[in-house]
Amino acid sequence: MFLTISTTGTAERPATDLGFLLHKHPEKAQAFSTSYGTAHVLYPEADAERCTAALLLEVDPVALVRRGKGKGRGGAPDAALAQYVNDRPYAASSLLAVALSSVFSSAMRGVCTARPERAAEPLPLCIDVPSLPARGGPGLVRALFEPLGWTVSAEPVALDSEFPEWGDSRYVRLVLQSQALTLSAALRHLYVLLPVLDDAKHYWVSADEVDKLLRAGEGWLPGHPEQKLITSRFLSRRWSLTRQAMERLELVRLAETDDADVEEIDNAVAAETEEEEKPTPLAVQRRDAITAVLQETDAARVLDLGCGQGQLVQALLKDTRFTEIVGVDVSVRALTIASRRLKLDRMGERQAARVKLLQGSLAYTDTRLKGYDAAVLSEVIEHLDLPRLPALEYAVFGSARPRAVVVTTPNVEYNVRWESLPAGHVRHGDHRFEWTREEFRAWADAVAERHGYDVEFRPVGPDDPEVGPPTQMAVFLKKTEKTEKLDKAEKSEKEAKAA
Ligand code: SAH
């Protein structure tokens, strides 16, 4: 029973940093005893370019039975033989998940004293679980991991390779790849989802399991499309615990998302608006600037991501060149208000065919968002905690991949010009950060580079010579294959010249 975790790196950011992140030295093979056998950590490869850590669990089936909790799934739990002859020694399961959490506990919590900055950063990851019992099959494996930003390969394992006609076993070989996740998030995904797929815990699930689930699920479980299945299976379908967990998750989700804050946000926008010179409030200037970009880029099918109460959707509807306008928000309440504002229920058929409101979180990939001409993120990114931003980046630029993306966010430098804003305060209580022009550019440039877009920046509102405009806007355009090739050629030519 084992899994491997691999990463890649460069001379400046060596892959062997994985050893620091896992708190396990790449040059030592180490063994840890657990109640059910011995866990080994070893590194089949470890250099600057590539580093792989393997976690191998040698299960002692007798210890498992002695502890009175080993139910083989091959037969009835009371069948004496099934207790000794079962898949537990070979398959990834709750045993492996428990070993993972005890051997890599600091890494799971995101703690790394030697490389604190790297623990908080996403890194290229490839996780290989050669034998994973997957009740629900490859489809469920994908439904669990893909929304989290993983590229998933789940190949069914044949029952017997010599007799293909016997069909597939209930095991899959799982390979997960991502550039957008931290190691801590990756380990916490495995800790929860491996036993969920196995759907058979080796130990009695008690109330403290709810706490473990919420702790490991922090930042990704609330709002996961399969949240209910995950919760119920992780808690061995104990309904009282599941209900408890669902209630707490809902509270977390409400606190994390802006559901309760929508009104407040609107008030803040209104307050911002009042501070403007009367004729054109900043919010209106922003909508005009965004609409102009969408028109310039010939976008007809447009996503308004984090559409809030639907003001931009409403403005876009007025221009018939926008044939499809989709507003997406995590907040049901904001969408209800948007739907009322747009009078969706009283709209003529033709008008109604142009507009859609979807509930969804931008922190998860969503196939409904693929294939659009343009996406707008107007005053949205600053509402996400910084560690969640790579997930949004992947969902929008890696997965949905529209031809154009327009992002606006406050320029924090301009805050000194708001007379009513005390020094050092953000413009709204729910802003998790506000960036300088330089910080925004650095982020946008890196995003463009990572996902094959060109980016340019435009001011929105009066462009103050000292502190810049109140709103900053980045316009991303997807590179065509041709320009991408030219760019690469130019880059390597430059490098060749420099060398
Ligand atoms: N785009 C609008 C609203 C901005 S307020 C405008 O420019 O006025 C930010 C909006 O982002 C809120 O409606 C909030 O519910 C939404 N939001 C925050 N986090 C989100 C997430 N993870 N997924 C989807 N929407 C989110």
Side-chain angles (χ1 to χ4, degrees), residues 258 265 306-308 329-331 360-363 378-380 383-384:
D258 304 319
I265 291 168
C307 64
D329 207 286
V330 74
S331 156
S361 170
L362 301 169
S378 164
E379 310 294 286
V380 172
H383 289 270
L384 274 85

Side-chain angles (χ1 to χ4, degrees), residues 5-7 123-127 150 176-179 181-183 186:
I5 304 170
S6 307
T7 188
L123 71 172
L125 283 172
C126 177
I127 290 170
W150 292 104
L176 299 169
Q177 281 175 293
S178 169
Q179 310 265 348
L181 296 167
T182 61
L183 183 63

Side-chain angles (χ1 to χ4, degrees), residues 200-469:
K201 284 217 164 164
H202 65 280
Y203 53 90
W204 176 244
V205 169
S206 58
D208 62 349
E209 209 74 354
V210 176
D211 293 322
K212 288 187 205 157
L213 175 65
L214 294 185
R215 230 177 294 128
E218 202 183 306
W220 65 270
L221 184 55
H224 188 295
E226 297 294 345
Q227 173 184 308
K228 189 155 181 218
L229 177 142
I230 296 169
T231 307
S232 134
R233 282 199 183 183
F234 189 88
L235 299 169
S236 294
R237 301 175 204 259
R238 290 195 54 199
W239 296 119
S240 62
L241 295 183
T242 305
R243 197 173 335 110
Q244 217 185 83
M246 288 299 287
E247 275 167 18
R248 283 171 61 188
L249 277 167
E250 197 56 22
L251 292 178
V252 176
R253 194 180 74 82
L254 287 178
E256 266 190 4
T257 63
D258 304 319
D259 214 282
D261 294 336
V262 176
E263 213 160 356
E264 222 185 298
I265 291 168
D266 241 34
N267 291 342
V269 172
E272 238 174 65
T273 304
E274 274 161 32
E275 288 170 60
E276 288 302 297
E277 322 96 288
K278 283 295 171 210
T280 350
L282 182 58
V284 176
Q285 292 187 49
R286 209 155 36 216
R287 285 201 283 281
D288 290 347
I290 292 169
T291 310
V293 172
L294 295 175
Q295 290 164 344
E296 271 170 50
T297 53
D298 282 330
R301 302 179 58 237
V302 178
L303 296 168
D304 182 10
L305 304 175
C307 64
Q309 307 189 352
Q311 291 95 331
L312 178 66
V313 174
Q314 189 175 35
L316 295 178
L317 266 174
K318 295 198 182 110
D319 185 339
T320 51
R321 79 180 91 187
F322 300 116
T323 58
E324 192 182 337
I325 307 151
V326 179
V328 181
D329 207 286
V330 74
S331 156
V332 175
R333 197 156 145 246
L335 290 174
T336 309
I337 298 170
S339 142
R340 246 181 265 146
R341 176 194 305 279
L342 297 167
K343 305 197 174 65
L344 277 190
D345 51 343
R346 271 166 284 161
M347 220 176 231
E349 230 171 88
R350 277 187 51 190
Q351 202 66 337
R354 290 173 61 211
V355 53
K356 222 176 349 185
L357 296 177
L358 301 178
Q359 200 259 334
S361 170
L362 301 169
Y364 301 99
T365 59
D366 188 338
T367 48
R368 296 176 300 179
L369 308 186
K370 287 188 195 234
Y372 282 83
D373 297 325
V376 176
L377 285 159
S378 164
E379 310 294 286
V380 172
I381 57 171
E382 65 276 10
H383 289 270
L384 274 85
D385 288 323
L386 272 175
R388 299 286 278 158
L389 213 48
L392 173 137
E393 173 191 331
Y394 182 76
V396 176
F397 294 89
S399 169
R401 288 192 72 67
R403 198 153 45 73
V405 183
V406 187
V407 181
T408 75
T409 193
N411 163 22
V412 71
E413 296 168 82
Y414 192 88
N415 286 3
V416 294
R417 296 283 185 265
W418 297 123
E419 272 162 21
S420 57
L421 198 67
H425 277 240
V426 293
R427 292 182 204 176
H428 181 257
D430 192 58
H431 287 184
R432 308 303 161 91
F433 60 88
E434 283 178 354
W435 275 336
T436 63
R437 283 167 291 173
E438 199 182 314
E439 284 167 326
F440 182 51
R441 271 165 195 264
W443 174 79
D445 284 336
V447 169
E449 168 80 29
R450 280 194 284 268
H451 300 281
Y453 282 75
D454 287 314
V455 60
E456 58 167 64
F457 301 90
R458 297 188 192 182
V460 180
D463 196 356
D464 186 287
E466 225 176 298
V467 295

Side-chain angles (χ1 to χ4, degrees), residues 19-38:
F20 289 110
L21 292 172
L22 291 172
H23 295 243
K24 298 286 171 285
H25 200 291
E27 277 164 26
K28 277 192 279 184
Q30 299 172 64
F32 308 84
S33 69
T34 76
S35 358
Y36 305 108
T38 311

